[in-house]
Amino acid sequence: MYSIAKPFLLHAITSVHAGSGSEIGIVDLPIQREKHTNYPKIESSSLKGALRSHFEMDPEVDESKLELVFGSKPDKNKENTDNENNTQASAIAFSDARLLLFPIRSLKGVFVWITCPQVINRFNDDLTAFTQDLSIEKLEVPKENTVSSDLMMVGGNKIVLEEYTFSVTIDEKTQKLAKQLEKLIGDALTVDLASRIVVLSDNDFANFVTFSTEVNARVKIGETGTVDSRALWYEENVPPETMFYSYLFIGNVRGNGTKDLSTSEQVQQFMKNHMPSVFQLGGNYTIGKGIMRTIWLDRGDNDE
């Protein structure tokens, strides 16, 4: 049982391909999406695996402690059936990373972050379910088609996102939401987030996050320097600046721990000491994809 829950944001510094496997369709390699909303997401297993990989590369992390916290590798005892019962269960878990803010090109102001009432309400519901003991303020839920400033407005009360025009108003609740988000993110970003928040209807938001991801054509070059036969494919990415949120759940070490790594508080300290501020997740790491920034929402227990 996990006794501690720590919420955090995941900010996409570069394009991210958390893939769901190959499919027969226009996009050969799509991203992971929720079945019921079609929103982009990052599976908890993908997130945990990427972070474990980072911990394994940290020279200050002892392998035995890593196993106590993250659990045994799935294939560690694959060939030794006598030791199957000696595998170590994980002391931590992650929730799926859910979408909070999605970047969209704007005719004025370069780009904005869009969200919608359903996404904000879900964030608040998760906050209530997992972190009743924390003092993180619930996010304001504004009306749809409202903005936090006139940065992106053209022709009076219009904004143009991609090729679509919306009539909007500057709303006090949207301005409060923007300030709340800016406070949660802190100094992790220098871009003026508070002036770039747009609250759309649930349906318009769903359409944008379905059809406004990156889809790139990829090719494989053969030994002759030309494209190999049948070596063209299309790959989907979550665009840079996308914001997800997730939860780190922490419990006691399962079984026999060590003197300094046994309780949930000690596991929390271990994660605090070694959790990366920036790490790589998903495919195409050799071409710079998947660089993510972690931003703790409960920074009182995570700052040095």
Side-chain angles (χ1 to χ4, degrees), residues 2-296:
Y2 301 108
S3 57
I4 300 173
K6 293 294 179 182
F8 61 97
L9 297 178
L10 289 168
H11 169 237
I13 300 175
T14 65
S15 302
V16 179
H17 179 75
S20 61
S22 60
E23 290 189 4
I24 299 174
I26 296 175
V27 179
D28 302 290
L29 297 175
I31 59 173
Q32 296 168 2
R33 291 181 177 274
E34 296 176 351
K35 186 68 174 177
H36 65 302
T37 64
N38 210 38
Y39 295 169
K41 69 170 181 175
I42 300 172
E43 295 274 2
S44 57
S45 57
S46 300
L47 179 55
K48 187 178 181 182
L51 287 169
R52 178 174 188 139
S53 178
H54 178 90
F55 275 66
E56 289 174 343
M57 293 186 294
D58 188 340
E60 297 182 358
V61 175
D62 181 79
E63 185 177 350
S64 60
K65 291 185 176 180
L66 177 67
E67 187 167 293
L68 289 175
V69 174
F70 279 85
S72 302
K73 285 188 175 181
D75 60 345
K76 182 173 182 180
N77 297 305
K78 186 175 181 180
E79 298 179 357
N80 189 352
T81 56
D82 292 337
N83 290 331
E84 284 185 354
N85 294 328
N86 294 327
T87 56
Q88 177 67 42
S90 177
I92 62 169
F94 293 89
S95 69
D96 288 349
R98 289 177 156 182
L99 190 60
L100 180 61
L101 299 174
F102 191 81
I104 290 292
R105 185 179 74 249
S106 175
L107 179 64
K108 184 180 177 185
V110 184
F111 83 98
V112 298
W113 276 288
I114 64 170
T115 188
C116 69
Q118 188 271 334
V119 165
I120 302 170
N121 279 318
R122 186 167 68 168
F123 176 90
N124 289 337
D125 290 341
D126 290 346
L127 198 63
T128 300
F130 299 135
T131 59
Q132 299 95 328
D133 59 330
L134 299 181
S135 58
I136 300 174
E137 184 182 14
K138 285 188 176 182
L139 296 180
E140 192 72 42
V141 184
K143 296 183 296 184
E144 60 188 51
N145 292 337
T146 57
V147 298
S148 60
S149 76
D150 61 358
L151 174 71
M152 71 290 291
M153 295 179 71
V154 294
N157 67 335
K158 306 287 186 182
I159 61 172
V160 181
L161 307 180
E162 302 281 349
E163 65 270 31
Y164 301 101
T165 302
F166 297 88
S167 297
V168 296
T169 57
I170 299 175
D171 182 70
E172 289 185 4
K173 287 188 175 182
T174 308
Q175 290 176 325
K176 181 179 178 180
L177 169 67
K179 291 296 184 183
Q180 289 175 311
L181 292 169
E182 187 176 57
K183 181 180 178 181
L184 288 177
I185 292 170
D187 58 1
L189 300 180
T190 56
V191 65
D192 185 12
L193 179 142
S195 63
R196 297 177 183 272
I197 299 299
V198 177
V199 180
L200 298 178
S201 69
D202 295 345
N203 288 331
D204 288 333
F205 178 84
N207 286 334
F208 273 119
V209 303
T210 299
F211 299 112
S212 294
T213 54
E214 295 180 357
V215 177
N216 299 323
R218 300 283 307 280
V219 297
K220 178 183 177 183
I221 304 298
E223 295 180 358
T224 62
T226 60
V227 178
D228 277 354
S229 176
R230 299 182 180 179
L232 168 67
W233 72 95
Y234 288 89
E235 184 176 271
E236 186 179 22
N237 295 314
V238 172
E241 310 298 348
T242 303
M243 290 277 188
F244 296 91
Y245 69 93
S246 180
Y247 285 83
L248 167 62
F249 302 106
I250 305 171
N252 295 332
V253 169
R254 310 295 178 90
N256 297 322
T258 63
K259 183 179 179 180
D260 60 345
L261 191 58
S262 180
T263 67
S264 58
E265 289 76 16
Q266 291 171 326
V267 175
Q268 179 182 352
Q269 186 63 40
F270 176 87
M271 294 299 294
K272 170 187 172 183
N273 292 341
H274 301 289
M275 187 79 165
S277 58
V278 175
F279 69 102
Q280 194 281 333
L281 180 147
N284 301 323
Y285 70 93
T286 60
I287 54 175
K289 304 296 185 182
I291 309 301
M292 304 288 287
R293 176 185 285 113
T294 57
I295 304 171
W296 292 103

